Amino acid sequence: MKKGVVKKLAKILTDIFMTAVLAYLANRQNGTGLLLHAVLGIALFVLFALHHLLNASYIKSLFKGNYNARRIVLLATNAALFSAMLLMAASSLMISGLVFNVAFLPVNFAWRNIHASCSSWIFMIAAFHVSLHAHSALSRLERKIPRTVFFAASILIFIAGIFAFSQSKILSNLFLLYTDASLRYSFQAQIAFSILTIFAVCVATHFALKTFERKEK
C-alpha cells in the first residue's frame, strides 16, 4: 500500500475515532463512568495531537498563498476549535481530582460547568469543521443521483437534525440550560441525536457553500 494511501486512511480513521469519542464524552450521563470518561478524554487529546501531526502540511501552508473567504472561514474554525480544546484541557485539569484520588490534583467545582459547556462547543465547532470538508463529497454525490432525491433527502435530514439538536444534551450544555428535554432520552438516543446534528450541519453548510460559490461566479 502506497504511503499516501496509508496517510489518508490514517487521517480518516483518526477523524472517525475523534468524532465517536467526542460524541460519547459530550453525552455522558451524570454520575456514571467517571474513570472511563477521563480515560477517553485523554484519548481525545492524543487523537487531537495525532490529527495535527497528520495534517502538518496544512499548518506549514498557513503563511503561504492568498486567503479567499472559504480559507478564512476554515482558519477561523480551526483556531476556534484549537482554543476550545485548550480551555477543555484546562478545565479537565481543574476537576481532575474528582476522578484521580491524588492529593495535589485540584477539585474546583466552578470549572465543572465550563468543562460541560466546552464539550458541546467543541462538538459543534468540530461538526462545522467536518461539514467544510464534506462539501466536496456531497457535491459529487449530488451529481450522481437525481437532484430532487438529493434535495428531498437533505430537507428530511435537516429537519430531523434540528429536532435532534433541540432535544439533545449538546444544546443543554452549550448554554448550561439543563432543561428536562435533554433528560427524557437514553444515552443511545442522545448519541443518535448527536449524529443527526452533524448530518444537519453538513447539509446546511453544503447548500450555504453552493449558494456562495454561485455568487462568486
Side-chain angles (χ1 to χ4, degrees), residues 160-179:
I162 291 296
F163 170 78
F165 180 63
S166 71
Q167 299 297 307
S168 70
K169 289 188 73 174
I170 303 295
L171 175 61
S172 296
N173 286 336
L174 273 177
F175 304 105
L176 301 177
L177 299 173
Y178 300 124
T179 60

Side-chain angles (χ1 to χ4, degrees), residues 78-139:
N78 291 338
L81 186 55
F82 190 81
S83 300
M85 285 295 288
L86 288 179
L87 185 56
M88 172 70 89
S91 64
S92 299
L93 179 62
M94 295 306 293
I95 59 173
S96 57
L98 289 170
V99 183
F100 305 107
N101 189 21
V102 182
F104 63 83
L105 290 177
V107 182
N108 190 329
F109 287 99
W111 281 87
R112 190 163 57 176
N113 284 344
I114 295 173
H115 187 76
S117 184
C118 266
S119 68
S120 286
W121 279 106
I122 289 170
F123 182 86
M124 292 307 299
I125 297 169
F128 183 63
H129 174 87
V130 168
S131 72
L132 290 173
H133 293 285
H135 172 59
S136 298
L138 288 174
S139 295

